[in-house]
């Protein structure tokens, strides 16, 4: 049996207290009126102008001739995109213009269409920054009205910033809550996969997995609570929950059959209830299996069937969960592989957490039956799933970048413009480093190496969720400051407390599992 | 001077592993072992050095990546930076997403093929190569250990091998 060391408990509690204090500070420090925003911005330099600069830059870079130094001036940019095209084309083909003259006309006319499209989209991004919350989320379907409103946009800009800053502590809380919840959900999926696949190597790790999934219920309730609070209009994380915005937004109006608060909460309750119920049954059976007769596989078979059922339920609900809880933050945008993308993130974070906690427990002498081969296998999963995540990240990005359809591409323009470092930094933490560090078979057996890579990976996937949530909620006002770090601290403490308390509830080695002997002697 | 080797044949891979351990403990030199299928742990029992083919493959992969980048950078960006469907061909990084599928495939292509060719060369395998099989049964159901007998008393060695469970022991003069 595992006993929770008082040191660990104290650390977890300190983390929670410090995090809670920081979060409360974050909520208090958030501005409440436009005047406060103006004051804050005055002390931080002219942020407003920067924002407009940004918008202009979108325009330039999206044009085919974008980076040509000669074309960088604003008047040209705005007045005649047609002439720019021809110019761009000429520069491109200058080397042998005679030969390509015939091509020239055809390609120029082709380009015209692209140029108009991209230009239009540039304008949209422009409006994004200028018009306040109503149009934040991209394609402006009733552009005429919005333009009329622009005359009085002086304060609107500040109101826009105000809303972002008010969202900041909420979004920080939401990102951290979802991140830790998704870890335990990922572990639950992994646990079910191990049962359904009848894996022979992993039963010695089952108790660690069961303990991590203990966070599923409390963590899920916290996320649910945050969704309820959003539904009660206490924050503006989900703009489609705001009737004023929906009233002027035809795109969201057409989605209200799916995106309405009661149905949204019912769905969330179904996902959470289902996952927690499966988790409860499987852990209960696993405990009963410990005391079963030698050849009694009743509970094992039951768990096998439950695992298969869970995986079917999970893949449907997980996909819908990612539309609901993350994609609907940008209600104008959609992507078909989004559910998989979120799944990859939660799966790899879950596996990494299993590895880190197992190595920790092993180093404390609690898991003597876990050998380097088990760690090696977990590290292989971390390696493979990191590549899987990158594959989905890139597939989503590249398909949208390549076709460059305005209504889709605003999503990435916003992220590249405002979130350049986290957006591309993720590739280093979630792909390059894990791939290079975990490629060598020997390194996968070096425990501290796996821990370090695992921490990098977890950090990277926190950033992943951050970049999924923040642009839609706080836009360009993002910063990883006190609210974000506090939320992370708070949930780290809570997660550690719940998981390690759960570890004390049952022996760390399952018995009577038909694969346990094989697992104990597993050798790779 | 003619060298002598002893071919000891075994029926079973477990027996073979046991015998290899004993032969090494007895300080006899194992020239070669022929088996019909991979025997798990045989390389460890023999004390063979681990393969470095994975390292070679990694380096080939980097070469492939380099070839892909150099090729597309020259063709698409430097040589003829034509505007194709509005894709930005001003610098490599700007148009990189479009090149990634090729970069990936060439990395895999180089890593895989050059590694396989390396394997063939290092293990001296090619079409029309003369098979080096000392006993036809080793491709079907027998395991053969070839032991250098030049510096040992043949009778002692034979008795020793008989005790390790060899089903058949042949003295070969080369």
């Amino acid at each position: 049996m595992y006993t929770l060391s008082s040191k660990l408990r104290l650390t977890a509690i300190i983390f929670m207290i410090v995090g809670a204090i920081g979060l409360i500070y974050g909520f208090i420090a958030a501005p409440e009126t436009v005047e406060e925003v103006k004051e804050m911005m005055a002390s931080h330099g002219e942020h407003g102008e920067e924002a407009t600069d940004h918008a202009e830059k979108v325009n330039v870079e999206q044009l085919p001739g974008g980076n040509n130094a000669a074309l960088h001036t604003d008047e040209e940019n705005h007045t005649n995109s047609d002439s720019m095209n021809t110019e761009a084309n000429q520069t491109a083909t200058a080397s042998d213009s005679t030969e390509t003259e015939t091509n020239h006309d055809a390609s120029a006319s082709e380009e015209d269409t692209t140029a108009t499209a991209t230009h239009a989209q540039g304008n949209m991004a422009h409006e994004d920054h200028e018009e306040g919350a109503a149009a934040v989320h991209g394609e402006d379907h009733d552009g005429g009205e919005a333009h009329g409103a622009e005359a009085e946009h002086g304060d609107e800009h500040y109101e826009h910033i105000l809303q972002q800053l008010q969202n900041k502590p909420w979004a920080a809380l939401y990102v951290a809550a979802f991140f830790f919840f998704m870890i335990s959900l990922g572990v639950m999926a992994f646990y079910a996969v191990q049962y359904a696949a009848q894996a022979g190597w992993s039963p010695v790790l089952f108790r660690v997995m069961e303990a991590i999934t203990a966070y599923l219920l409390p963590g899920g309730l916290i996320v649910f609570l945050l969704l309820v609070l959003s539904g009660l209009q206490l924050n503006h994380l989900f703009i489609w929950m705001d009737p004023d915005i929906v009233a002027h937004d035809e795109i969201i109006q057409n989605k209200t059959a799916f995106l309405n608060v009661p149905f949204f909460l019912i769905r969330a309750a179904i996902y959470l209830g289902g996952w927690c119920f499966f988790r409860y049954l499987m852990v209960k059976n696993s405990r009963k299996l410990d005391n079963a007769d030698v050849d009694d596989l009743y509970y094992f078979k039951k768990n096998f069937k439950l695992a298969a059922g869970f995986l079917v339920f999970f893949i449907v609900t997980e996909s819908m969960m990612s539309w609901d809880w993350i994609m609907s933050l940008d209600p104008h945008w959609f992507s078909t592989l989004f559910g998989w993308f979120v799944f990859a993130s939660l799966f790899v974070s879950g596996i990494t957490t299993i590895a880190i906690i197992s190595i920790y427990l092993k180093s404390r002498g609690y898991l003597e039956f876990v050998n380097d081969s088990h760690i090696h296998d977990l590290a292989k999963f971390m390696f493979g799933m990191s590549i899987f995540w990158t594959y989905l990240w890139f597939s989503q990005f590249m398909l949208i970048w390549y076709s460059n359809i305005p209504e889709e591409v605003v999503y990435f323009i916003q992220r590249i413009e405002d979130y350049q470092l986290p957006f591309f930094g993720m590739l280093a933490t979630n792909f390059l480093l894990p791939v290079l560090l975990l490629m060598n078979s020997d390194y996968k057996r070096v425990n501290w190496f796996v821990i370090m890579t695992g921490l990098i990976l977890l950090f990277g996937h926190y950033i992943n969720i951050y970049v999924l949530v923040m642009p839609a909620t706080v836009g360009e006002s993002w910063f990883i400051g006190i609210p974000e770090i506090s939320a992370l601290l708070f949930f780290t403490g809570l997660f550690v407390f719940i998981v390690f308390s759960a570890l004390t509830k049952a022996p760390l080695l399952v018995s009577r599992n038909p694969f346990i002997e094989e697992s104990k002697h597993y050798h790779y | 001077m003619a060298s002598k080797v002893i071919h000891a044949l075994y029926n079973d891979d477990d027996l073979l592993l046991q015998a290899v351990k004993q032969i090494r403990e007895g300080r006899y030199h194992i020239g070669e072992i022929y088996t019909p299928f991979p025997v798990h742990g045989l390389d460890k029992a023999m004390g063979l050095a681990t393969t470095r083919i994975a390292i070679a493959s990694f380096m080939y992969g980097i070469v492939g990546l380099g070839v892909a980048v150099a090729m597309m950078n020259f063709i698409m960006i430097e040589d003829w930076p034509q505007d194709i469907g509005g894709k930005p061909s001003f610098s490599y990084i700007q148009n990189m997403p479009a090149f990634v599928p090729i970069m990936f495939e060439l990395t895999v292509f180089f890593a895989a093929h050059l590694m396989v060719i390396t394997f063939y060369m290092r293990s001296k395998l090619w079409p029309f190569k003369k098979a080096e099989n000392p006993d036809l049964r080793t491709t079907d159901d027998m395991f053969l250990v070839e032991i250098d007998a030049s510096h040992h008393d043949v009778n002692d060695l034979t008795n020793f091998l008989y005790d390790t469970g060899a089903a058949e022991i042949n003295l070969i003069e080369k």
Side-chain angles (χ1 to χ4, degrees):
Chain A
M1 288 293 264
Y2 174 73
T3 45
L4 181 58
S5 73
S6 56
K7 238 189 221 167
L8 197 65
R9 182 190 290 138
L10 192 66
T11 317
I13 291 174
I14 290 173
F15 268 45
M16 278 191 271
I17 292 171
V18 172
I21 292 171
L23 270 174
I24 292 168
Y25 167 79
F27 279 103
I28 293 171
E32 274 170 30
T33 58
V34 175
E35 276 63 42
E36 279 179 58
V37 177
K38 282 180 182 165
E39 261 173 54
M40 281 170 82
M41 283 167 59
S43 62
H44 284 105
E46 280 296 288
H47 183 89
E49 283 188 14
E50 253 173 58
T52 4
D53 281 352
H54 268 309
E56 227 86 78
K57 230 166 85 201
V58 175
N59 261 338
V60 178
E61 287 197 352
Q62 286 311 306
L63 285 164
N67 264 21
N68 228 328
L71 303 174
H72 237 302
T73 49
D74 275 354
E75 313 93 78
E76 264 183 6
N77 176 10
H78 276 296
T79 43
N80 43 1
S81 58
D82 283 12
S83 74
M84 278 173 61
N85 271 317
T86 18
E87 232 179 294
N89 211 357
Q90 273 164 2
T91 5
T93 56
S95 47
D96 28 20
S97 50
T98 38
E99 273 179 33
T100 53
E101 203 70 61
T102 37
N103 282 352
H104 188 101
D105 283 339
S107 65
S109 65
E110 238 177 329
E111 251 177 68
D112 270 0
T113 32
T114 344
T116 339
T118 43
H119 193 79
Q121 154 217 332
N123 272 338
M124 278 165 214
H126 189 85
E127 282 161 10
D128 266 7
H129 288 277
E130 303 257 298
E131 276 168 30
V136 166
H137 293 266
E139 336 62 72
D140 197 8
H141 41 92
D142 43 14
E145 266 178 54
H147 271 297
E150 231 174 274
E152 49 183 53
H153 96 212
D155 262 11
E156 265 182 46
H157 174 61
Y158 289 104
E159 261 166 43
H160 176 44
I161 303 278
L162 171 69
Q163 205 154 45
Q164 292 183 343
L165 291 177
Q166 281 177 336
N167 267 342
K168 212 167 157 279
W170 284 102
L173 191 61
Y174 187 67
V175 170
F178 181 79
F179 175 67
F180 281 96
F181 169 74
M182 98 178 176
I183 288 178
S184 69
L185 185 60
V187 173
M188 183 64 205
F190 192 70
Y191 180 62
V193 167
Q194 299 304 309
Y195 256 110
Q198 305 197 358
W201 66 278
S202 55
V204 294
L205 297 169
F206 275 1
R207 282 291 138 82
V208 178
M209 298 183 206
E210 287 168 12
I212 299 173
T213 56
Y215 183 77
L216 203 59
L217 183 61
L221 284 178
I222 292 173
V223 173
F224 189 71
L225 183 71
L226 283 173
L227 297 178
V228 171
L229 293 180
S230 297
L232 293 175
Q233 298 283 308
L234 288 175
N235 58 52
H236 290 92
L237 292 184
F238 298 88
I239 59 156
W240 57 263
M241 287 177 175
D242 188 340
D244 294 341
I245 290 175
V246 178
H248 298 103
D249 193 324
E250 207 181 333
I251 293 183
I252 300 183
Q253 277 167 25
N254 289 333
K255 295 181 180 181
T256 43
F258 191 75
L259 288 183
N260 60 74
V261 175
F263 188 33
F264 176 80
L265 291 178
I266 291 170
R267 282 198 306 269
I270 291 173
Y271 314 148
L272 284 169
W275 298 332
C276 293
F277 188 58
F278 271 110
R279 189 262 166 193
Y280 167 77
L281 289 179
M282 286 187 72
V283 172
K284 197 181 76 177
N285 287 337
S286 162
R287 304 279 150 88
K288 280 187 179 164
L289 188 62
D290 273 5
N291 304 318
D293 290 336
V294 178
D295 286 326
D296 186 5
L297 289 180
Y298 175 73
Y299 291 111
F300 179 79
K301 286 180 185 164
K302 228 175 156 184
N303 254 4
F304 174 77
K305 287 173 193 160
L306 277 172
F310 171 78
L311 288 172
V312 173
F313 177 75
F314 170 78
I315 207 59
V316 176
T317 48
E318 189 276 337
S319 190
M320 294 180 71
M321 174 273 280
S322 61
W323 307 336
D324 277 359
W325 298 359
I326 298 182
M327 200 159 79
S328 82
L329 291 162
D330 294 277
H332 286 193
W333 182 79
F334 45 84
S335 163
T336 33
L337 60 70
F338 197 76
W340 283 105
F341 176 64
V342 174
F343 166 75
S345 205
L346 66 88
F347 206 51
V348 70
S349 318
I351 294 164
T352 307
T353 311
I354 298 174
I356 290 176
I357 292 184
S358 305
I359 293 173
Y360 169 76
L361 289 173
K362 197 183 142 197
S363 74
R364 288 282 173 273
Y366 286 109
L367 296 175
E368 70 278 5
F369 34 81
V370 171
N371 57 39
D372 285 348
S373 294
H374 296 108
I375 304 301
H376 190 147
D377 265 23
L378 285 171
K380 274 190 278 187
F381 266 108
M382 284 160 63
F383 175 82
M385 287 298 139
S386 293
I387 295 174
F388 180 61
W389 176 88
T390 316
Y391 167 64
L392 293 175
W393 180 90
F394 181 72
S395 302
Q396 180 169 282
F397 173 70
M398 195 262 250
L399 285 180
I400 290 176
W401 172 87
Y402 208 107
S403 60
N404 205 14
I405 301 172
E407 70 211 46
E408 287 179 352
V409 86
V410 280
Y411 185 81
F412 285 115
I413 288 181
Q414 196 193 3
R415 277 158 181 77
I416 291 172
E417 288 292 314
D418 297 335
Y419 290 76
Q420 195 157 39
L421 179 68
F423 186 68
F424 290 113
M426 276 193 312
L427 279 186
T429 58
N430 296 356
F431 174 65
L432 264 187
L433 287 174
V435 162
L436 293 177
L437 296 176
L438 292 178
M439 191 180 298
N440 190 319
S441 185
D442 295 332
Y443 290 172
K444 289 197 269 262
R445 313 178 82 86
V446 182
N447 288 353
W448 66 267
F449 214 89
V450 176
I451 294 246
M452 295 315 293
T453 317
L455 291 177
I456 293 173
L457 256 178
L458 284 182
F459 173 73
H461 284 277
Y462 170 76
I463 296 295
N464 181 30
I465 303 300
Y466 188 86
V467 174
L468 287 178
V469 171
M470 286 294 174
T473 51
V474 305
E476 71 271 18
S477 308
W478 70 278
F479 185 69
I480 298 195
I482 291 174
E484 285 79 8
I485 293 171
S486 310
L488 209 51
L489 279 183
F490 176 78
F491 283 102
T492 312
L494 187 68
F495 183 80
V496 167
F497 188 78
I498 290 174
V499 169
F500 283 85
S501 306
L503 275 170
T504 63
K505 302 273 165 59
L508 284 174
L509 183 62
V510 293
S511 45
R512 302 280 176 255
N513 185 301
F515 296 105
I516 191 66
E517 280 308 312
E518 177 184 345
S519 180
K520 274 200 256 181
H521 300 116
Y522 175 68
H523 174 74
Y524 168 71
Chain B
M1 183 187 133
S3 69
K4 291 181 289 183
V5 292
I6 285 189
H7 284 173
L9 286 103
Y10 296 85
N11 284 323
D12 186 74
D13 50 339
D14 286 336
L15 209 57
L16 174 77
L17 274 177
Q18 277 297 320
V20 167
K21 273 177 203 146
Q22 290 172 24
I23 293 167
R24 287 194 77 210
E25 275 164 16
R27 299 243 160 236
Y28 295 108
H29 177 73
I30 297 175
E32 193 65 81
I33 296 182
Y34 298 88
T35 64
F37 53 79
V39 178
H40 195 75
L42 186 59
D43 51 342
K44 273 219 180 84
M46 288 170 74
L48 295 180
T50 51
T51 173
R52 287 167 298 177
I53 201 159
I55 299 169
S57 177
F58 178 72
M59 294 192 291
Y60 296 146
I62 289 177
V63 170
L65 185 64
V67 167
V69 171
M71 175 184 79
M72 287 181 294
N73 185 48
F74 177 72
I75 296 173
M76 302 300 290
I77 309 296
E78 284 174 12
D79 190 33
W80 198 0
Q82 197 176 209
D83 187 330
I84 303 163
K87 284 282 162 281
S89 8
F90 302 100
S91 67
Y92 191 78
I93 195 72
Q94 263 191 312
N95 211 358
M96 200 193 68
F99 301 146
V100 165
I102 297 156
M103 285 154 68
F104 170 76
E105 293 294 349
L106 277 186
T107 307
V108 174
F109 180 87
F110 272 63
H113 289 82
L114 291 182
M115 175 176 75
V116 168
I117 293 169
T118 306
F119 168 73
Y120 286 154
M121 289 168 69
R122 289 291 291 144
S123 30
K124 303 193 174 64
L125 283 175
W126 49 82
F128 312 114
K129 177 189 162 74
K130 197 175 175 306
E132 296 165 353
N133 198 347
D135 190 317
L136 284 179
R137 289 169 299 171
T138 59
T139 62
D140 182 22
D141 64 342
M142 293 294 262
F143 303 81
L144 188 150
V145 182
E146 184 183 284
I147 299 153
D148 186 11
S150 308
H151 307 292
H152 300 284
D153 182 57
V154 175
N155 279 332
D156 281 357
L157 186 51
T158 310
N159 286 333
F160 174 79
L161 289 173
Y162 182 76
D163 287 341
T164 63
E168 190 180 319
I169 300 168
N170 304 318
L171 179 66
I172 311 282
E173 305 261 354
K174 272 188 184 168

